[in-house]
């Protein structure tokens, strides 16, 4: 989600190619509900878009720091 511009759901799902679409949708819904992601309303010209809120950036950055140096299973 660290993107310069807000992403559509399709763009986000494409970046998470290993995850099933339903998991991406569930994660996104939870993140919006928790205030980590801001949902920007779509219009007639395009889909809804999503971007990290400052709190979301803090949560993801701290999670990444916690897992640095660990070997993935």
């Amino acid at each position: 989600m660290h993107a310069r511009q807000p992403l559509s759901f399709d763009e986000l799902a494409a970046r998470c190619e290993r995850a099933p679409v339903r998991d991406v949708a569930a994660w996104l819904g939870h993140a919006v509900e928790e205030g980590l992601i801001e949902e920007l309303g779509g219009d007639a010209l395009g889909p809804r878009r999503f971007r990290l809120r400052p709190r979301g950036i803090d949560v993801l950055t701290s999670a990444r720091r916690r897992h640095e140096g660990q070997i993935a299973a």
Side-chain angles (χ1 to χ4, degrees), residues 3 7 22 24 26 31 42 66 69:
L7 300 174
R22 70 174 181 236
V24 176
R66 260 195 321 270

Side-chain angles (χ1 to χ4, degrees), residues 6-22:
L7 300 174
S8 69
F9 178 80
D10 290 340
E11 292 166 333
L12 179 60
R15 289 184 178 203
C16 303
E17 61 189 34
R18 293 184 180 169
V21 172
R22 70 174 181 236

Side-chain angles (χ1 to χ4, degrees), residues 14-66:
R15 289 184 178 203
C16 303
E17 61 189 34
R18 293 184 180 169
V21 172
R22 70 174 181 236
D23 290 352
V24 176
W27 175 85
L28 184 60
H30 178 74
V32 168
E33 185 177 298
E34 292 296 318
L36 303 174
I37 303 277
E38 179 179 12
E39 182 178 350
L40 306 171
D43 55 23
L45 300 176
R48 290 181 295 172
R49 301 184 84 66
F50 303 91
R51 67 177 169 205
L52 279 172
R53 291 179 177 247
R55 180 171 175 256
I57 293 169
D58 292 344
V59 168
L60 291 177
T61 301
S62 66
R64 188 175 299 136
R65 277 192 213 121
R66 260 195 321 270

